[in-house]
């Protein structure tokens, strides 16, 4: 079966691409883990004063803040990965609407990634574990 | 200018009418997930409307007709991963659905990769189609044509079309995301008797026994629990040394793999598993175990 792009489809795709956040245009394919963005920081990860004093949440957000270059290389499996502005699991921990404040999958993936990183596992090994447990 | 305004007004009226139109065969979508495979059917649903005979009738479906089991535009069947239907491979994609209806013998099920075909223009038989025979069954009268999956398994189910007193069943199998079986050599390091303690909020509770054996090429676990749900289960390998419990139904079929809620992570010494910890979906340790035999 061959597919031809109509002019309208082409224009729509080009417009959609241009309006994607810059980071989200990086190497990314549906279902695959993203490549960590060079120079990524945890500057947007919520701090404890914005987590309503919930100790469990503070621990995981703090853990994520320590390894943004790892968390940014993981695709979240909770279904948020297709949302606007989403790049990686790190996105779940950023901003006032951080999904990880309420989503157990985002939290569980973050906790697993933090533990495995502390155990010396590589990003690929962490991705494989996330996929095995949450995929 | 007047002509342009009139055209715009007509466009608006038409659009509103389409949105609210009453159809003899209303549109429906049916979607079923099975182990990550999404199966969807979109179709218009004809009603019997007092017609007692639907097949072999000039008022509905004639014998020998290539008929879309629906109405208006051909029924579509969509899968996001490869499946088999009655043992016939179906690649991921969207297909129009047709049936060659016959008075005697089997009918022919046809999946054609060309979609958006009006029911009056059935496709000719061609090499891109998936075709296979299906049996019809007598069934209690059903007024509205219905596609459904009345039976589900962990790795598939029964896809059914029913209209009037006729029903067609097809066995649908998905590609399982896990393997229940493993070689004896792979299973051997885990087989034995274990002792484990449940851990609640970091506190160790009483210890119990846990037995892992190898039966019918499957690694199986039995542990102390008052819940029949969890008494006996398959250990489904999800990663090296990581297993999730696969819970059996009364027919001995696994119907749920319990992850991410409970994953057993085994540790080895000299190639043999000697201890494990079970973690929940928050990566908290909820059990610790060690081999005793």
């Amino acid at each position: 079966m061959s597919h031809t792009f109509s002019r309208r489809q082409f224009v729509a795709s080009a417009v959609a691409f241009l309006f994607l956040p810059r980071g989200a245009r990086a190497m990314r394919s549906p279902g695959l883990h993203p490549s960590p963005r060079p120079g990524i920081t945890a500057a947007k990860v919520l701090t404890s004063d914005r987590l309503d004093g919930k100790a469990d949440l503070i621990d995981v957000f703090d853990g994520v803040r320590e390894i943004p270059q790892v968390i940014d290389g993981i695709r979240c499996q909770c279904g948020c990965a297709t949302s606007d502005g989403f790049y990686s699991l790190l996105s779940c921990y950023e901003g006032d609407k951080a999904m990880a404040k309420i989503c157990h999958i985002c939290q569980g993936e973050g906790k697993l990634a933090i533990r495995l990183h502390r155990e010396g596992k590589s990003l690929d090994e962490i991705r494989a574990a996330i996929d095995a447990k949450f995929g | 200018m007047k002509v342009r305004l009139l055209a715009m007004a007509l466009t608006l009226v038409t659009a509103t009418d389409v949105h609210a139109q009453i159809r003899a065969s209303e549109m429906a979508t049916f979607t079923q997930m099975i182990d990550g495979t999404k199966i969807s059917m979109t179709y218009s649903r004809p009603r019997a409307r007092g017609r007692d005979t639907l097949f072999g009738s000039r008022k509905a479906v004639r014998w020998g007709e290539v008929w879309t089991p629906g109405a208006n535009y051909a029924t579509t069947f969509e899968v996001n991963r490869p499946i088999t239907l009655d043992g016939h491979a179906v690649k991921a994609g969207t297909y129009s659905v047709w049936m060659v209806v016959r008075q005697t013998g089997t009918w022919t099920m046809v999946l054609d990769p060309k979609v958006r075909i009006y029911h009056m223009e059935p496709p000719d038989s061609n090499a891109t189609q998936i075709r296979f025979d299906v049996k019809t069954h007598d069934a209690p009268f059903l007024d509205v044509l219905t596609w459904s999956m009345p039976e589900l398994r962990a790795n598939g189910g029964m896809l059914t079309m029913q209209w009037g007193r006729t029903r067609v069943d097809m066995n649908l199998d998905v590609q399982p995301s896990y393997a229940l079986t493993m070689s004896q050599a792979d299973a051997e390091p885990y087989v034995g008797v274990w002792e484990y303690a449940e851990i609640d909020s970091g506190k160790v509770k009483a210890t119990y026994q846990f037995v892992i054996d190898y039966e019918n090429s499957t690694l199986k676990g039995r542990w102390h629990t008052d819940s029949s749900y969890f008494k006996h289960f398959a250990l489904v390998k999800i990663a090296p040394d990581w297993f999730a419990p696969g819970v059996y139904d009364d027919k001995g079929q696994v119907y749920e793999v319990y992850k991410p809620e409970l994953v057993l992570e085994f540790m080895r010494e000299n190639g043999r598993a000697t201890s494990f910890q079970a973690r929940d979906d928050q990566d908290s340790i909820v059990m610790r175990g060690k081999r005793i035999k």
Side-chain angles (χ1 to χ4, degrees), chain B residues 207-268:
Chain B
T207 57
Y208 303 102
Q209 210 174 72
F210 174 37
V211 177
I212 299 180
D213 49 31
Y214 183 65
E215 188 185 310
N216 298 329
S217 302
T218 303
L219 203 58
K220 294 185 178 179
R222 271 181 290 133
W223 60 36
H224 167 89
T225 172
D226 294 332
S227 161
S228 57
Y229 184 77
F230 249 153
K231 219 160 219 168
H232 197 203
F233 53 89
L235 282 161
V236 181
K237 188 173 184 178
I238 60 167
D241 289 330
W242 285 22
F243 294 84
V247 189
Y248 288 110
D249 65 15
D250 56 356
K251 293 172 188 161
Q253 302 291 318
V254 167
Y255 73 94
E256 182 171 17
V257 178
Y258 210 62
K259 76 178 179 93
E261 292 86 352
L262 191 65
V263 172
L264 278 66
E265 302 178 13
F266 286 87
M267 277 67 79
R268 295 186 187 222

Side-chain angles (χ1 to χ4, degrees), chain A residues 47-77:
Chain A
T47 46
S48 57
D49 54 308
R50 293 163 76 184
L51 293 169
D52 305 324
K54 293 175 182 166
D56 193 38
L57 277 187
I58 291 168
D59 281 350
V60 65
F61 274 76
D62 282 351
V64 163
R65 192 176 299 101
E66 289 172 15
I67 50 169
Q69 73 287 0
V70 173
I71 305 296
D72 201 39
I74 297 168
R75 178 184 165 92
C76 181
Q77 305 279 4

Side-chain angles (χ1 to χ4, degrees), chain B residues 85 89 114 134 160 183 191 211-212 244:
Chain B
L85 258 184
K114 194 175 168 198
V134 288
T160 295
S183 70
V191 172
V211 177
I212 299 180

Side-chain angles (χ1 to χ4, degrees), chain B residues 62-96:
Chain B
R62 299 178 189 187
W63 296 129
E65 187 176 332
V66 181
W67 167 70
T68 189
N72 304 325
Y73 281 94
T75 295
T76 59
F77 177 78
E78 183 176 5
V79 279
N80 67 335
R81 293 179 184 176
I83 59 150
T84 62
L85 258 184
D86 272 354
H88 300 269
V90 178
K91 291 179 184 169
T94 307
Y95 303 84
S96 59

Side-chain angles (χ1 to χ4, degrees), chain B residues 32-37 39 149 152-157 172 174:
Chain B
Q32 179 66 58
M33 292 295 299
I34 304 175
D35 193 13
T37 297
I39 302 137
M149 291 200 71
L152 288 180
R153 291 173 276 107
N155 61 350
L172 185 153
V174 303

Side-chain angles (χ1 to χ4, degrees), chain A residues 3-4 16 23 26 34 45 48-49 57 68 70-71 82 92 116 123:
Chain A
H3 294 279
T4 49
V45 174
S48 57
D49 54 308
L57 277 187
V70 173
I71 305 296
T82 52
C92 306
L116 295 181
L123 175 57

Side-chain angles (χ1 to χ4, degrees), chain A residues 19-30:
Chain A
F19 280 92
L20 274 175
R22 190 190 296 179
R25 279 187 243 151
M27 292 173 284
R28 207 156 60 113
S29 305

